[in-house]
Amino acid sequence: MVLAIALGAAAGIVGFAPLVFGLHRVKHMTDAGNLGHMGVLMLCLLLSFVLMFAFAILCINVNRDAALPFVLSEAGALSVTAIVFGVTKLARKS
């Protein structure tokens, strides 16, 4: 169960990577309108959800008993990573 929680946390952090890439990509877009910026962010959000569900399905196929701790730790790690990312971005601006 500890391994499932650790792997779920790692999967949650990996699941946040497309969102960081999307934010970085939007920051450097100069000629796109609002739809272009939001389109990139929405595609990265979709990719993040696809990664999250793919890791969860993989865990269910490998070890069904560890699926609940894996999925809960994955969602928790994704949330904590997003909060830490937002706080550090805010702290750098001020």
Side-chain angles (χ1 to χ4, degrees), residues 80-92:
V80 169
T81 305
I83 291 168
V84 169
F85 179 78
V87 168
T88 55
K89 283 272 272 199
L90 185 64
R92 279 189 217 146

Side-chain angles (χ1 to χ4, degrees), residues 2 8-9 14 17-18 20 23 27-28 33 47-48 54 56 58 60 62 66 69 73 79 81 86-87 91:
V2 173
V14 169
V20 173
L23 287 172
K27 187 167 71 172
H28 295 294
L47 181 60
S48 179
L58 183 67
I60 290 169
V62 171
S73 66
S79 300
T81 305
V87 168

Side-chain angles (χ1 to χ4, degrees), residues 13-27 41 44-45 48 81-82 85 89:
I13 293 170
V14 169
F16 188 70
L19 297 173
V20 173
F21 172 75
L23 287 172
H24 179 70
R25 183 78 180 134
V26 166
K27 187 167 71 172
L41 291 176
C44 290
L45 182 66
S48 179
T81 305
F85 179 78
K89 283 272 272 199

Side-chain angles (χ1 to χ4, degrees), residues 9-84:
I13 293 170
V14 169
F16 188 70
L19 297 173
V20 173
F21 172 75
L23 287 172
H24 179 70
R25 183 78 180 134
V26 166
K27 187 167 71 172
H28 295 294
M29 291 175 72
T30 57
D31 58 349
N34 285 340
L35 185 60
H37 289 224
M38 293 313 246
V40 169
L41 291 176
M42 292 303 281
L43 284 175
C44 290
L45 182 66
L46 178 67
L47 181 60
S48 179
F49 279 130
V50 167
L51 279 173
M52 210 168 147
F53 285 122
F55 284 133
I57 290 170
L58 183 67
C59 177
I60 290 169
N61 286 333
V62 171
N63 188 1
R64 187 175 297 268
D65 294 335
L68 184 63
F70 180 86
V71 170
L72 290 177
S73 66
E74 183 181 22
L78 182 71
S79 300
V80 169
T81 305
I83 291 168
V84 169

